[in-house]
PDB file of all heavy atoms in Angstrom:
ATOM      1  N   ASP A  76     153.838  66.831-157.199  1.00 99.00           N
ATOM      2  CA  ASP A  76     154.126  65.421-156.943  1.00 99.00           C
ATOM      3  C   ASP A  76     154.631  65.298-155.512  1.00 99.00           C
ATOM      4  O   ASP A  76     155.277  66.226-154.986  1.00 99.00           O
ATOM      5  CB  ASP A  76     155.198  64.886-157.900  1.00 99.00           C
ATOM      6  CG  ASP A  76     154.616  64.427-159.226  1.00 99.00           C
ATOM      7  OD1 ASP A  76     153.485  63.900-159.222  1.00 99.00           O
ATOM      8  OD2 ASP A  76     155.297  64.584-160.257  1.00 99.00           O
ATOM      9  N   SER A  77     154.371  64.130-154.904  1.00 99.00           N
ATOM     10  CA  SER A  77     154.843  63.973-153.518  1.00 99.00           C
ATOM     11  C   SER A  77     155.400  62.575-153.244  1.00 99.00           C
ATOM     12  O   SER A  77     155.773  62.285-152.113  1.00 99.00           O
ATOM     13  CB  SER A  77     153.708  64.286-152.528  1.00 99.00           C
ATOM     14  OG  SER A  77     152.607  63.417-152.712  1.00 99.00           O
ATOM     15  N   VAL A  85     154.334  55.237-159.389  1.00 98.00           N
ATOM     16  CA  VAL A  85     153.145  55.138-160.231  1.00 98.00           C
ATOM     17  C   VAL A  85     152.428  56.489-160.301  1.00 98.00           C
ATOM     18  O   VAL A  85     151.989  56.928-161.372  1.00 98.00           O
ATOM     19  CB  VAL A  85     152.212  54.041-159.679  1.00 98.00           C
ATOM     20  CG1 VAL A  85     150.898  54.019-160.435  1.00 98.00           C
ATOM     21  CG2 VAL A  85     152.906  52.683-159.745  1.00 98.00           C
ATOM     22  N   SER A  86     152.317  57.158-159.164  1.00 99.00           N
ATOM     23  CA  SER A  86     151.616  58.457-159.191  1.00 99.00           C
ATOM     24  C   SER A  86     152.376  59.460-160.058  1.00 99.00           C
ATOM     25  O   SER A  86     151.768  60.236-160.812  1.00 99.00           O
ATOM     26  CB  SER A  86     151.417  59.007-157.779  1.00 99.00           C
ATOM     27  OG  SER A  86     152.650  59.262-157.141  1.00 99.00           O
ATOM     28  N   ARG A  87     153.708  59.410-159.993  1.00 99.00           N
ATOM     29  CA  ARG A  87     154.492  60.333-160.839  1.00 99.00           C
ATOM     30  C   ARG A  87     154.276  60.025-162.324  1.00 99.00           C
ATOM     31  O   ARG A  87     154.200  60.937-163.156  1.00 99.00           O
ATOM     32  CB  ARG A  87     155.988  60.242-160.494  1.00 99.00           C
ATOM     33  CG  ARG A  87     156.365  60.905-159.184  1.00 99.00           C
ATOM     34  CD  ARG A  87     157.852  60.727-158.874  1.00 99.00           C
ATOM     35  NE  ARG A  87     158.201  61.308-157.587  1.00 99.00           N
ATOM     36  CZ  ARG A  87     158.552  62.586-157.397  1.00 99.00           C
ATOM     37  NH1 ARG A  87     158.615  63.390-158.441  1.00 99.00           N
ATOM     38  NH2 ARG A  87     158.825  63.043-156.191  1.00 99.00           N
ATOM     39  N   ALA A  88     154.184  58.728-162.650  1.00 98.00           N
ATOM     40  CA  ALA A  88     153.969  58.369-164.054  1.00 98.00           C
ATOM     41  C   ALA A  88     152.607  58.864-164.542  1.00 98.00           C
ATOM     42  O   ALA A  88     152.476  59.351-165.673  1.00 98.00           O
ATOM     43  CB  ALA A  88     154.081  56.854-164.212  1.00 98.00           C
ATOM     44  N   VAL A  89     151.610  58.737-163.683  1.00 99.00           N
ATOM     45  CA  VAL A  89     150.255  59.118-164.107  1.00 99.00           C
ATOM     46  C   VAL A  89     150.107  60.647-164.154  1.00 99.00           C
ATOM     47  O   VAL A  89     149.495  61.189-165.086  1.00 99.00           O
ATOM     48  CB  VAL A  89     149.201  58.448-163.200  1.00 99.00           C
ATOM     49  CG1 VAL A  89     147.801  58.959-163.516  1.00 99.00           C
ATOM     50  CG2 VAL A  89     149.255  56.926-163.376  1.00 99.00           C
ATOM     51  N   THR A  90     150.687  61.338-163.181  1.00 99.00           N
ATOM     52  CA  THR A  90     150.612  62.811-163.271  1.00 99.00           C
ATOM     53  C   THR A  90     151.421  63.313-164.469  1.00 99.00           C
ATOM     54  O   THR A  90     151.048  64.296-165.101  1.00 99.00           O
ATOM     55  CB  THR A  90     151.090  63.513-161.977  1.00 99.00           C
ATOM     56  OG1 THR A  90     152.458  63.171-161.717  1.00 99.00           O
ATOM     57  CG2 THR A  90     150.217  63.166-160.784  1.00 99.00           C
ATOM     58  N   ALA A  91     152.521  62.611-164.771  1.00 98.00           N
ATOM     59  CA  ALA A  91     153.319  63.011-165.949  1.00 98.00           C
ATOM     60  C   ALA A  91     152.485  62.862-167.227  1.00 98.00           C
ATOM     61  O   ALA A  91     152.587  63.683-168.149  1.00 98.00           O
ATOM     62  CB  ALA A  91     154.596  62.187-166.036  1.00 98.00           C
ATOM     63  N   PHE A  93     149.239  63.227-167.454  1.00 98.00           N
ATOM     64  CA  PHE A  93     148.336  64.380-167.475  1.00 98.00           C
ATOM     65  C   PHE A  93     149.096  65.612-167.994  1.00 98.00           C
ATOM     66  O   PHE A  93     148.626  66.334-168.872  1.00 98.00           O
ATOM     67  CB  PHE A  93     147.794  64.640-166.065  1.00 98.00           C
ATOM     68  CG  PHE A  93     146.754  65.718-165.993  1.00 98.00           C
ATOM     69  CD1 PHE A  93     145.409  65.399-165.785  1.00 98.00           C
ATOM     70  CD2 PHE A  93     147.096  67.066-166.127  1.00 98.00           C
ATOM     71  CE1 PHE A  93     144.434  66.395-165.716  1.00 98.00           C
ATOM     72  CE2 PHE A  93     146.129  68.066-166.066  1.00 98.00           C
ATOM     73  CZ  PHE A  93     144.796  67.733-165.846  1.00 98.00           C
ATOM     74  N   LEU A 159     146.903  69.722-160.220  1.00 98.00           N
ATOM     75  CA  LEU A 159     147.118  68.274-160.320  1.00 98.00           C
ATOM     76  C   LEU A 159     147.957  67.843-159.122  1.00 98.00           C
ATOM     77  O   LEU A 159     149.027  68.421-158.879  1.00 98.00           O
ATOM     78  CB  LEU A 159     147.867  67.993-161.629  1.00 98.00           C
ATOM     79  CG  LEU A 159     148.365  66.579-161.886  1.00 98.00           C
ATOM     80  CD1 LEU A 159     147.191  65.612-162.051  1.00 98.00           C
ATOM     81  CD2 LEU A 159     149.244  66.563-163.157  1.00 98.00           C
ATOM     82  N   VAL A 160     147.458  66.854-158.378  1.00 99.00           N
ATOM     83  CA  VAL A 160     148.138  66.456-157.141  1.00 99.00           C
ATOM     84  C   VAL A 160     148.452  64.964-157.169  1.00 99.00           C
ATOM     85  O   VAL A 160     147.537  64.127-157.174  1.00 99.00           O
ATOM     86  CB  VAL A 160     147.245  66.751-155.909  1.00 99.00           C
ATOM     87  CG1 VAL A 160     147.979  66.364-154.621  1.00 99.00           C
ATOM     88  CG2 VAL A 160     146.847  68.224-155.868  1.00 99.00           C
ATOM     89  N   GLY A 161     149.717  64.620-157.189  1.00 99.00           N
ATOM     90  CA  GLY A 161     150.128  63.227-157.035  1.00 99.00           C
ATOM     91  C   GLY A 161     150.176  62.898-155.550  1.00 99.00           C
ATOM     92  O   GLY A 161     150.919  63.516-154.793  1.00 99.00           O
ATOM     93  N   ALA A 162     149.342  61.919-155.153  1.00 98.00           N
ATOM     94  CA  ALA A 162     149.135  61.676-153.718  1.00 98.00           C
ATOM     95  C   ALA A 162     149.215  60.184-153.393  1.00 98.00           C
ATOM     96  O   ALA A 162     148.195  59.519-153.237  1.00 98.00           O
ATOM     97  CB  ALA A 162     147.782  62.234-153.296  1.00 98.00           C
ATOM     98  N   PRO A 163     150.424  59.648-153.284  1.00 98.00           N
ATOM     99  CA  PRO A 163     150.531  58.232-152.914  1.00 98.00           C
ATOM    100  C   PRO A 163     150.034  57.979-151.500  1.00 98.00           C
ATOM    101  O   PRO A 163     150.034  58.891-150.673  1.00 98.00           O
ATOM    102  CB  PRO A 163     152.032  57.950-153.014  1.00 98.00           C
ATOM    103  CG  PRO A 163     152.708  59.264-152.946  1.00 98.00           C
ATOM    104  CD  PRO A 163     151.736  60.287-153.470  1.00 98.00           C
ATOM    105  N   MET A 164     149.585  56.755-151.252  1.00 98.00           N
ATOM    106  CA  MET A 164     149.162  56.393-149.894  1.00 98.00           C
ATOM    107  C   MET A 164     150.378  55.969-149.079  1.00 98.00           C
ATOM    108  O   MET A 164     151.092  55.048-149.459  1.00 98.00           O
ATOM    109  CB  MET A 164     148.145  55.250-149.922  1.00 98.00           C
ATOM    110  CG  MET A 164     147.727  54.813-148.518  1.00 98.00           C
ATOM    111  SD  MET A 164     146.585  53.411-148.500  1.00 98.00           S
ATOM    112  CE  MET A 164     145.076  54.158-149.021  1.00 98.00           C
ATOM    113  N   LEU A 173     153.063  66.450-148.588  1.00 98.00           N
ATOM    114  CA  LEU A 173     151.810  66.973-149.137  1.00 98.00           C
ATOM    115  C   LEU A 173     150.957  67.582-148.019  1.00 98.00           C
ATOM    116  O   LEU A 173     150.308  68.618-148.208  1.00 98.00           O
ATOM    117  CB  LEU A 173     151.063  65.850-149.860  1.00 98.00           C
ATOM    118  CG  LEU A 173     149.704  66.189-150.468  1.00 98.00           C
ATOM    119  CD1 LEU A 173     149.776  67.386-151.410  1.00 98.00           C
ATOM    120  CD2 LEU A 173     149.122  64.977-151.200  1.00 98.00           C
ATOM    121  N   VAL A 202     142.748  67.738-159.800  1.00 98.00           N
ATOM    122  CA  VAL A 202     142.779  66.300-160.096  1.00 98.00           C
ATOM    123  C   VAL A 202     143.732  65.643-159.102  1.00 98.00           C
ATOM    124  O   VAL A 202     144.913  65.986-159.047  1.00 98.00           O
ATOM    125  CB  VAL A 202     143.239  66.049-161.544  1.00 98.00           C
ATOM    126  CG1 VAL A 202     143.332  64.548-161.821  1.00 98.00           C
ATOM    127  CG2 VAL A 202     142.304  66.731-162.534  1.00 98.00           C
ATOM    128  N   VAL A 203     143.197  64.722-158.308  1.00 99.00           N
ATOM    129  CA  VAL A 203     143.989  63.994-157.321  1.00 99.00           C
ATOM    130  C   VAL A 203     144.310  62.608-157.885  1.00 99.00           C
ATOM    131  O   VAL A 203     143.405  61.865-158.265  1.00 99.00           O
ATOM    132  CB  VAL A 203     143.196  63.852-156.003  1.00 99.00           C
ATOM    133  CG1 VAL A 203     143.894  62.886-155.052  1.00 99.00           C
ATOM    134  CG2 VAL A 203     143.003  65.220-155.351  1.00 99.00           C
ATOM    135  N   VAL A 204     145.588  62.286-157.960  1.00 99.00           N
ATOM    136  CA  VAL A 204     146.023  60.967-158.428  1.00 99.00           C
ATOM    137  C   VAL A 204     146.525  60.188-157.218  1.00 99.00           C
ATOM    138  O   VAL A 204     147.569  60.494-156.655  1.00 99.00           O
ATOM    139  CB  VAL A 204     147.116  61.098-159.509  1.00 99.00           C
ATOM    140  CG1 VAL A 204     147.669  59.719-159.878  1.00 99.00           C
ATOM    141  CG2 VAL A 204     146.570  61.812-160.734  1.00 99.00           C
ATOM    142  N   SER A 205     145.729  59.202-156.812  1.00 98.00           N
ATOM    143  CA  SER A 205     145.989  58.468-155.575  1.00 98.00           C
ATOM    144  C   SER A 205     146.473  57.049-155.896  1.00 98.00           C
ATOM    145  O   SER A 205     145.709  56.225-156.398  1.00 98.00           O
ATOM    146  CB  SER A 205     144.695  58.413-154.756  1.00 98.00           C
ATOM    147  OG  SER A 205     144.816  57.503-153.684  1.00 98.00           O
ATOM    148  N   SER A 206     147.733  56.777-155.608  1.00 98.00           N
ATOM    149  CA  SER A 206     148.296  55.440-155.844  1.00 98.00           C
ATOM    150  C   SER A 206     148.411  54.719-154.506  1.00 98.00           C
ATOM    151  O   SER A 206     148.789  55.307-153.501  1.00 98.00           O
ATOM    152  CB  SER A 206     149.669  55.565-156.505  1.00 98.00           C
ATOM    153  OG  SER A 206     150.485  56.463-155.778  1.00 98.00           O
ATOM    154  N   ARG A 207     148.073  53.452-154.511  1.00 98.00           N
ATOM    155  CA  ARG A 207     148.101  52.674-153.275  1.00 98.00           C
ATOM    156  C   ARG A 207     148.468  51.234-153.558  1.00 98.00           C
ATOM    157  O   ARG A 207     148.049  50.662-154.571  1.00 98.00           O
ATOM    158  CB  ARG A 207     146.762  52.774-152.545  1.00 98.00           C
ATOM    159  CG  ARG A 207     145.547  52.298-153.296  1.00 98.00           C
ATOM    160  CD  ARG A 207     144.965  53.281-154.290  1.00 98.00           C
ATOM    161  NE  ARG A 207     144.390  54.487-153.719  1.00 98.00           N
ATOM    162  CZ  ARG A 207     143.274  54.531-152.994  1.00 98.00           C
ATOM    163  NH1 ARG A 207     142.597  53.435-152.791  1.00 98.00           N
ATOM    164  NH2 ARG A 207     142.835  55.654-152.514  1.00 98.00           N
ATOM    165  N   VAL A 224     141.940  59.873-149.760  1.00 98.00           N
ATOM    166  CA  VAL A 224     141.007  60.558-150.661  1.00 98.00           C
ATOM    167  C   VAL A 224     140.018  61.421-149.887  1.00 98.00           C
ATOM    168  O   VAL A 224     139.789  62.587-150.239  1.00 98.00           O
ATOM    169  CB  VAL A 224     140.282  59.528-151.549  1.00 98.00           C
ATOM    170  CG1 VAL A 224     139.141  60.174-152.309  1.00 98.00           C
ATOM    171  CG2 VAL A 224     141.271  58.891-152.526  1.00 98.00           C
ATOM    172  N   LEU A 227     141.657  64.634-148.723  1.00 98.00           N
ATOM    173  CA  LEU A 227     141.879  65.613-149.790  1.00 98.00           C
ATOM    174  C   LEU A 227     140.563  66.213-150.277  1.00 98.00           C
ATOM    175  O   LEU A 227     140.483  67.402-150.591  1.00 98.00           O
ATOM    176  CB  LEU A 227     142.659  64.960-150.937  1.00 98.00           C
ATOM    177  CG  LEU A 227     144.110  64.605-150.560  1.00 98.00           C
ATOM    178  CD1 LEU A 227     144.741  63.696-151.595  1.00 98.00           C
ATOM    179  CD2 LEU A 227     144.939  65.878-150.385  1.00 98.00           C
ATOM    180  N   PHE A 240     138.446  65.990-158.736  1.00 98.00           N
ATOM    181  CA  PHE A 240     138.371  64.768-159.542  1.00 98.00           C
ATOM    182  C   PHE A 240     139.388  63.791-158.975  1.00 98.00           C
ATOM    183  O   PHE A 240     140.552  64.167-158.775  1.00 98.00           O
ATOM    184  CB  PHE A 240     138.697  65.057-161.008  1.00 98.00           C
ATOM    185  CG  PHE A 240     137.781  66.071-161.640  1.00 98.00           C
ATOM    186  CD1 PHE A 240     138.071  67.427-161.554  1.00 98.00           C
ATOM    187  CD2 PHE A 240     136.625  65.676-162.288  1.00 98.00           C
ATOM    188  CE1 PHE A 240     137.228  68.373-162.112  1.00 98.00           C
ATOM    189  CE2 PHE A 240     135.776  66.611-162.854  1.00 98.00           C
ATOM    190  CZ  PHE A 240     136.067  67.960-162.762  1.00 98.00           C
ATOM    191  N   VAL A 241     138.974  62.567-158.724  1.00 98.00           N
ATOM    192  CA  VAL A 241     139.875  61.588-158.110  1.00 98.00           C
ATOM    193  C   VAL A 241     140.148  60.452-159.089  1.00 98.00           C
ATOM    194  O   VAL A 241     139.220  59.862-159.654  1.00 98.00           O
ATOM    195  CB  VAL A 241     139.267  61.018-156.810  1.00 98.00           C
ATOM    196  CG1 VAL A 241     140.197  59.972-156.205  1.00 98.00           C
ATOM    197  CG2 VAL A 241     139.012  62.140-155.807  1.00 98.00           C
ATOM    198  N   VAL A 242     141.421  60.170-159.282  1.00 98.00           N
ATOM    199  CA  VAL A 242     141.850  59.024-160.087  1.00 98.00           C
ATOM    200  C   VAL A 242     142.668  58.122-159.164  1.00 98.00           C
ATOM    201  O   VAL A 242     143.699  58.544-158.639  1.00 98.00           O
ATOM    202  CB  VAL A 242     142.704  59.478-161.287  1.00 98.00           C
ATOM    203  CG1 VAL A 242     143.219  58.267-162.068  1.00 98.00           C
ATOM    204  CG2 VAL A 242     141.906  60.412-162.199  1.00 98.00           C
ATOM    205  N   THR A 243     142.191  56.900-158.949  1.00 98.00           N
ATOM    206  CA  THR A 243     142.928  55.995-158.060  1.00 98.00           C
ATOM    207  C   THR A 243     143.631  54.911-158.873  1.00 98.00           C
ATOM    208  O   THR A 243     143.118  54.452-159.905  1.00 98.00           O
ATOM    209  CB  THR A 243     141.993  55.325-157.033  1.00 98.00           C
ATOM    210  OG1 THR A 243     140.929  54.679-157.735  1.00 98.00           O
ATOM    211  CG2 THR A 243     141.420  56.323-156.060  1.00 98.00           C
ATOM    212  N   ILE A 244     144.776  54.521-158.388  1.00 98.00           N
ATOM    213  CA  ILE A 244     145.494  53.365-158.948  1.00 98.00           C
ATOM    214  C   ILE A 244     145.683  52.395-157.788  1.00 98.00           C
ATOM    215  O   ILE A 244     146.417  52.689-156.837  1.00 98.00           O
ATOM    216  CB  ILE A 244     146.864  53.731-159.543  1.00 98.00           C
ATOM    217  CG1 ILE A 244     146.743  54.909-160.503  1.00 98.00           C
ATOM    218  CG2 ILE A 244     147.459  52.511-160.259  1.00 98.00           C
ATOM    219  CD1 ILE A 244     147.412  56.157-160.013  1.00 98.00           C
ATOM    220  N   ALA A 269     143.642  54.379-165.131  1.00 98.00           N
ATOM    221  CA  ALA A 269     144.081  55.686-164.618  1.00 98.00           C
ATOM    222  C   ALA A 269     144.703  56.521-165.729  1.00 98.00           C
ATOM    223  O   ALA A 269     144.457  57.735-165.826  1.00 98.00           O
ATOM    224  CB  ALA A 269     145.077  55.487-163.468  1.00 98.00           C
ATOM    225  N   VAL A 273     143.211  60.170-166.788  1.00 98.00           N
ATOM    226  CA  VAL A 273     143.913  61.463-166.755  1.00 98.00           C
ATOM    227  C   VAL A 273     144.076  62.046-168.154  1.00 98.00           C
ATOM    228  O   VAL A 273     144.087  63.272-168.315  1.00 98.00           O
ATOM    229  CB  VAL A 273     145.278  61.398-166.023  1.00 98.00           C
ATOM    230  CG1 VAL A 273     145.084  61.086-164.553  1.00 98.00           C
ATOM    231  CG2 VAL A 273     146.250  60.450-166.693  1.00 98.00           C
TER     232      VAL A 273
END
Side-chain angles (χ1 to χ4, degrees):
D76 275 325
S77 60
V85 174
S86 63
R87 286 178 183 273
V89 173
T90 61
F93 186 107
L159 172 66
V160 181
M164 178 183 286
L173 178 54
V202 177
V203 170
V204 174
S205 169
S206 51
R207 59 279 294 291
V224 170
L227 292 167
F240 301 88
V241 178
V242 176
T243 55
I244 310 112
V273 295

